[in-house]
Amino acid sequence: MIYRKKYTILILVAIVLAAAFSYWRIQKPESFEIIGNVKKIEDSRILVEGQYVIKKDSQPGQLSPIQFEVSVSDKTVITRSAFIVPPKEELAKTGGRFEPQKLPRQESRVSLNDLRQDVNGRYGVSLTAQSSNDIYGRTEFEAVNIIYNVPIFQ
């Protein structure tokens, strides 16, 4: 009889813990990538100020900028996405405004040194860094894929 009570209590505790974990897992936002601006590159780490990209079915995440440390390995694929900024004449017609996502792009696979050179150039570099694991709540992770944007002026 005593054993039956102990087992019943253990089973109830296990059910409560499983339910609590499931609730926490459902409520926690999920993110496999960040987007932000490159602040600095040190060795094989990219320091980024940005945001989590939250999966569509997750709850909203943090809105204030977060400092991330993105590690780059030999397996990380880095893509340079250069967009061609319209000439001054065309920009004058629109008051200097343009939509970067609608501009022609030149994409190429590059190395971390290429990214470093672009970051050390005149213009800011934004990037998207993707991980194979859920990174929400973490500020350090290894990227499997990095796509960065850089303007080309005519």
Side-chain angles (χ1 to χ4, degrees):
M1 186 77 168
I2 294 175
Y3 290 116
R4 181 179 269 175
K5 274 188 175 179
K6 285 183 181 180
Y7 285 125
T8 304
I9 291 172
L10 284 175
I11 290 171
L12 289 174
V13 168
I15 290 171
V16 168
L17 288 175
F21 178 76
S22 297
Y23 177 78
W24 173 79
R25 188 70 182 142
I26 290 170
Q27 295 301 313
K28 177 184 167 283
E30 194 171 35
S31 176
F32 289 82
E33 64 185 297
I34 63 162
I35 188 166
N37 296 314
V38 177
K39 295 298 178 188
K40 192 178 188 183
I41 299 178
E42 297 176 343
D43 301 321
S44 62
R45 296 176 324 208
I46 305 169
L47 304 176
V48 179
E49 182 176 79
Q51 298 286 320
Y52 296 105
V53 177
I54 305 296
K55 284 181 59 173
K56 291 178 184 174
D57 58 342
S58 292
Q59 300 295 321
Q62 175 101 9
L63 296 178
S64 59
I66 300 169
Q67 304 298 317
F68 294 98
E69 186 175 301
V70 180
S71 298
V72 176
S73 73
D74 294 338
K75 297 176 184 175
T76 305
V77 175
I78 304 175
T79 303
R80 181 182 197 258
S81 180
F83 57 92
I84 302 168
V85 177
K88 290 180 183 179
E89 298 80 29
E90 285 185 44
L91 289 174
K93 295 175 190 174
T94 62
R97 296 188 182 139
F98 61 92
E99 296 182 49
Q101 64 273 19
K102 292 184 177 179
L103 296 176
R105 296 206 173 247
Q106 299 172 349
E107 292 193 351
S108 55
R109 188 168 173 183
V110 297
S111 69
L112 182 59
N113 284 330
D114 296 321
L115 172 57
R116 186 176 282 116
Q117 287 176 353
D118 283 334
V119 167
N120 292 334
R122 240 173 73 165
Y123 308 105
V125 174
S126 65
L127 65 70
T128 300
Q130 300 169 334
S131 173
S132 57
N133 301 314
D134 180 9
I135 57 169
Y136 188 81
R138 294 175 45 197
T139 57
E140 297 179 17
F141 66 94
E142 182 177 317
V144 293
N145 193 31
I146 294 174
I147 300 170
Y148 73 94
N149 302 296
V150 65
I152 296 178
F153 294 90
Q154 297 182 349

